[in-house]
Amino acid sequence: MTARYDAVAEFYEVGWPDFYDDEVSIALFDLVGTVDGLAVLDLGCGHGRMSRELARRGAHVVGIDISEVLLERARLLEADDPLAIEYRRGDAAIPTTLEGQRFDMVVCSMALADIDDLDGALTTIAGALNTGAFFVFSLLHPCFPGGEHVSASWSSSKRYYDEGWWSADGESSTLRQQVGANHRMLSTYLNALARHRLALDELREPLPPEGWTQDKPEAAARPVFLVGRFRKI
């Protein structure tokens, strides 16, 4: 199976290196909290950026992604600097991908909008979590358009209510121009999480990077990211 990210693996790896000092990463790891000794699933792990940081913080990490090209890059980095991370190729929307394995936490960094089948993915996540364990995720805030900008969650040529897959306009210089994304309303995410017995614990809307507000003044006036922590009940 060819994944959308296979063709942009190099672009993605270069654009998202192992640095975690931006506001959204800080918020994500703040909600993740202490992971030392925990079994953690990194869902949509890509080239292993979050998997490596979770492992450095003491977690026993399994990373799953549908892109074999990105996983190959993650495994090469693991070979150079072993952190005991297990990388698996699998479709997050197919629960059998995990073969009944349970985790103390599931983390999904900026990947939910890349998954076409949200209910399928949440079935996998809920099934993989121990009762009382957390699902922590980040994504572009679903409430705001932008079209040609990487910060966009949905096309400026459509309405917030028009859910579905979309890609940004313009030349292929941003990730959303190259691979697109699935736009869903905030209510769609929250209701789906509730259906899968994932109860809201905390939401955050971190500030965008300072450079964004200089180039895009509108980014300073409204949230760009959404970070959430939900408990399996």
Side-chain angles (χ1 to χ4, degrees), residues 145 154-167 183:
W154 47 281
S155 173
S156 57
S157 65
K158 295 186 178 181
R159 304 177 305 159
Y160 169 68
Y161 301 98
D162 297 328
E163 295 189 321
W165 186 87
W166 72 286
S167 61
H183 167 60

Side-chain angles (χ1 to χ4, degrees), residues 8-167:
V8 298
E10 182 176 357
F11 173 87
Y12 185 68
E13 184 179 14
V14 171
W16 282 265
D18 286 19
F19 295 104
Y20 311 94
D21 56 356
D22 58 286
E23 293 295 332
V24 67
S25 294
I26 291 169
L28 179 72
F29 280 111
D30 193 25
L31 292 189
V32 164
T34 301
V35 295
D36 190 23
L38 298 185
V40 179
L41 174 67
D42 183 10
L43 192 81
C45 65
H47 62 296
R49 177 175 178 265
M50 288 293 150
S51 296
R52 288 187 289 277
E53 182 61 18
L54 290 164
R56 292 184 190 109
R57 297 182 183 213
H60 307 293
V61 182
V62 173
I64 289 182
D65 202 278
I66 200 169
S67 171
E68 183 61 36
V69 179
L70 284 173
L71 288 172
E72 287 174 0
R73 293 170 182 269
R75 291 176 184 130
L76 286 172
L77 290 167
E78 172 69 13
D80 289 340
D81 182 16
L83 293 166
I85 301 168
E86 179 186 354
Y87 291 110
R88 303 180 192 170
R89 188 186 187 197
D91 187 338
I94 301 175
T96 54
T97 298
L98 299 176
E99 300 176 345
Q101 190 170 353
R102 289 296 188 96
F103 296 88
D104 301 310
M105 181 178 293
V106 176
V107 177
C108 184
S109 173
M110 305 299 289
L112 280 181
D114 293 298
I115 298 172
D116 296 339
D117 182 357
L118 178 63
D119 271 308
L122 292 177
T123 298
T124 300
I125 291 163
L129 283 171
N130 293 314
T131 300
F134 287 119
F135 170 45
V136 184
F137 66 86
S138 60
L139 73 163
L140 289 171
H141 205 299
C143 294
F144 302 99
E148 72 277 9
H149 298 318
V150 68
S151 57
S153 183
W154 47 281
S155 173
S156 57
S157 65
K158 295 186 178 181
R159 304 177 305 159
Y160 169 68
Y161 301 98
D162 297 328
E163 295 189 321
W165 186 87
W166 72 286
S167 61

